[in-house]
Amino acid sequence: MAAAAMLLIGGSSAALAHGAHFVPEATDVSWDGTVATVAFREVDVVLKADVTTISVKVTADVDAICKRGVSILRIHRSATALDVKDYPISDDGTVEGAARVPLKVTGLEVPDFTCVITHVSVTTVLEDFWTGATLIDKTDQRQIRESTTDISP
């Protein structure tokens, strides 16, 4: 909130951080089904402050096929989570960070059906509020995981 107020009142520091950018090769995203872990590096950060504010938005898209006898259901579900924190700027203008973002996709199990997850796609959007640097990272994973849900007594 304070960051937004300063932008409106005093202008942005982005002009000072013109060359700031995230390094795609230094971005690593993993998702275990409940938590997304995002490691990143931003370089050429020149601000008057010793920290910068970075948002990490993660979206997981999951496809599954559920079967019971001759019945087949194709399911697509997604979920999005956001984490916003201040990260320290090193003396050389580098920001190294790692965010752990709770993220769970629900609705992938159907009572009395055997479900198999066939595809997982994780999209991460990094944005530095002060420098204006952004990065979009998309990771496709082919994951096969079977689960059987039986709610009969």
Side-chain angles (χ1 to χ4, degrees):
M1 186 67 107
M6 288 188 65
L7 282 172
L8 293 174
I9 295 169
S12 169
S13 307
L16 296 174
H18 178 64
H21 62 280
F22 289 99
V23 179
E25 300 80 22
T27 303
D28 184 47
V29 179
S30 64
W31 180 56
D32 66 6
T34 58
V35 175
T37 303
V38 180
F40 59 87
R41 180 182 311 134
E42 184 182 10
V43 295
D44 299 329
V45 177
V46 179
L47 297 174
K48 292 179 183 176
D50 59 352
V51 298
T52 190
T53 305
I54 296 175
S55 72
V56 179
K57 182 169 86 170
V58 183
T59 301
D61 289 291
V62 181
D63 294 316
I65 295 177
C66 298
K67 295 180 182 180
R68 182 181 66 193
V70 296
S71 299
I72 297 174
L73 299 173
R74 296 184 195 291
I75 298 173
H76 175 83
R77 297 287 185 266
S78 67
T80 299
L82 177 69
D83 182 67
V84 179
K85 287 184 191 163
D86 287 341
Y87 291 89
I89 304 168
S90 69
D91 291 339
D92 68 355
T94 301
V95 177
E96 299 271 353
R100 292 182 43 82
V101 184
L103 178 63
K104 182 156 176 63
V105 177
T106 60
L108 294 170
E109 295 179 350
V110 180
D112 298 324
F113 278 72
T114 299
C115 296
V116 176
I117 293 176
T118 58
H119 187 259
V120 176
S121 175
V122 179
T123 303
T124 305
V125 179
L126 298 168
E127 181 179 5
D128 186 320
F129 289 168
W130 294 110
T131 67
T134 59
L135 176 76
I136 299 173
D137 179 86
K138 185 170 182 179
T139 305
D140 285 320
Q141 305 170 355
R142 184 165 181 87
Q143 258 187 2
I144 304 298
R145 189 182 82 217
E146 187 171 319
S147 70
T148 305
T149 306
D150 184 0
I151 61 169
S152 18

